[in-house]
Amino acid sequence: MNNVIIERHRSGDDLTTALRQDVREGLSASQKWLPATWFYDARGSELFEEITALPEYYPTRAEREVLLREAPAVAAATGARTLVELGAGSSEKTRALLDALRSAGTLTGFVPQDVSASALTEAAEAIAADYPDLAVHGVVGDFTANLGELPGTSPRLVAFLGGTIGNFPPAERAAFLRSVRAVLKPGEWLLLGTDLVKDPATLVAAYDDARGVTAEFNRNVLTVLNARLGADADPADFDHVAVWDAEHEWIEMRLRARRDLVVHVPGAGLDVEFRAGEHLRTEVSAKFRPEVVRSELADAGFTREHWWTDEANRFGVSLSRAV
Ligand code: AVJ
């Protein structure tokens, strides 16, 4: 294949440095926490793909339903020449957009970006093989850090799908949307997927499936600590916990220590003590109300031109234009 290049903004060393910082901050806090990005080594990305096929995990299917139905409308509205996908993962749902933009005759380039080098490379190569006329320019990096360096010909359409925006706490979410706006020219586009507030039982089941795949995904962050920072965490010492925080309207995933224990993290110069029952927060996944998404987009300098949901109203997709 000669229509694919992969650019690395983050080496393995950069990742280790960033993880060390996050560990020093989050694991020495009185309420222990880590950012959700650390699930996604090769194994974590695979586990997430497995999650997307679980009966309880509706967001992927709901979003795919919207994209399959509305991709032609996205293509007609945007006339995008470049599709940039942040946190692309396997890019499976993105094919609906690529197909529609290709049929519309405007698309020349696809820029998938992801923190996981293995997931990104695999996805970029698969797409390059299936779309031989498309210039595929993969970027391995963190979508918060490397936005300014995203390539592509105007008009660009930035897609941030899956509801991953919900992983940011509110203040960081606003900063992130502003930074996306800052790299776009007026008239360029953002396609944003947001999971919607719904009954807590449905939400909790989506993050605590019967087969335990999400539990394994959650514990994978410990394996990443062990591999990158020489830690000695035993995943079997922690239970998977998923709770709905009704005040903040987000799901929290946590790991709960089954006994008093110490995790040594030599790569961060830290010994982390857990009391039996103590929680480590590993993810927040915020759920949204349609009007809040619109106003947050407006605050960041976007006009929402389309709002689509699946038939069952579980998941929303916003198409917005940079003001
Ligand atoms: C990939 C961030 C959208 O928050 O639903 C799946 C990750 N965590 N199950 C989400 C996830 C637990 C997922 N995102």
Side-chain angles (χ1 to χ4, degrees), residues 47 49-58 61 205-206 209-214:
L47 285 166
E49 287 307 312
E50 254 183 76
I51 288 172
T52 64
L54 292 169
E56 296 94 335
Y57 194 77
Y58 62 84
R61 282 186 298 280
D209 63 279
R211 270 180 50 208
V213 182
T214 308

Side-chain angles (χ1 to χ4, degrees), residues 197 200 243-251 289:
V197 174
V243 290
W244 171 241
D245 179 332
E247 187 198 332
H248 296 106
E249 298 193 319
W250 65 46
I251 285 279
R289 294 175 184 272

Side-chain angles (χ1 to χ4, degrees), residues 127-300:
I127 297 232
D130 293 346
Y131 298 80
D133 296 334
L134 195 63
V136 179
H137 185 150
V139 179
V140 178
D142 183 326
F143 42 65
T144 52
N146 308 114
L147 265 179
E149 301 156 81
L150 290 177
T153 340
S154 205
R156 290 170 302 175
L157 167 61
V158 173
F160 192 38
L161 300 174
T164 302
I165 184 117
N167 282 171
F168 290 112
E172 286 174 41
R173 187 160 80 221
F176 171 75
L177 286 174
R178 278 196 299 272
S179 65
V180 174
R181 173 61 193 84
V183 300
L184 294 179
K185 301 187 182 99
E188 292 189 314
W189 298 88
L190 172 64
L191 187 69
L192 182 67
T194 45
D195 195 14
L196 302 178
V197 174
K198 58 183 63 61
D199 71 286
T202 302
L203 286 165
V204 170
Y207 291 83
D208 193 7
D209 63 279
R211 270 180 50 208
V213 182
T214 308
E216 198 185 336
F217 173 74
N218 192 6
R219 291 191 190 97
N220 190 60
V221 72
L222 300 172
T223 313
V224 170
L225 282 185
N226 293 350
R228 284 212 174 268
L229 297 175
D232 59 0
D234 180 352
D237 280 336
F238 293 86
D239 288 322
H240 168 67
V241 178
V243 290
W244 171 241
D245 179 332
E247 187 198 332
H248 296 106
E249 298 193 319
W250 65 46
I251 285 279
E252 279 194 27
M253 291 213 309
R254 305 175 186 159
L255 291 168
R256 183 176 57 216
R258 302 176 72 132
R259 56 181 181 87
D260 290 348
L261 59 96
V262 180
V263 176
H264 304 95
V265 194
L270 211 64
D271 292 334
V272 186
E273 287 182 34
F274 286 87
R275 284 166 285 110
E278 188 177 346
H279 288 179
L280 159 59
R281 190 183 75 197
T282 51
E283 179 177 59
V284 300
S285 190
K287 307 305 165 190
F288 294 86
R289 294 175 184 272
E291 60 288 358
V292 174
V293 179
R294 194 200 51 74
S295 73
E296 291 191 7
L297 284 162
D299 290 345

Side-chain angles (χ1 to χ4, degrees), residues 1-4 83 91-103 107-110 123-136:
M1 272 170 288
N2 52 14
N3 60 326
V4 57
L83 174 62
S91 289
E92 244 346 283
K93 289 166 300 190
T94 316
R95 287 169 183 260
L97 293 173
L98 292 172
D99 291 341
L101 288 164
R102 194 171 55 167
S103 306
L107 191 71
T108 57
F110 176 48
E125 287 179 351
I127 297 232
D130 293 346
Y131 298 80
D133 296 334
L134 195 63
V136 179

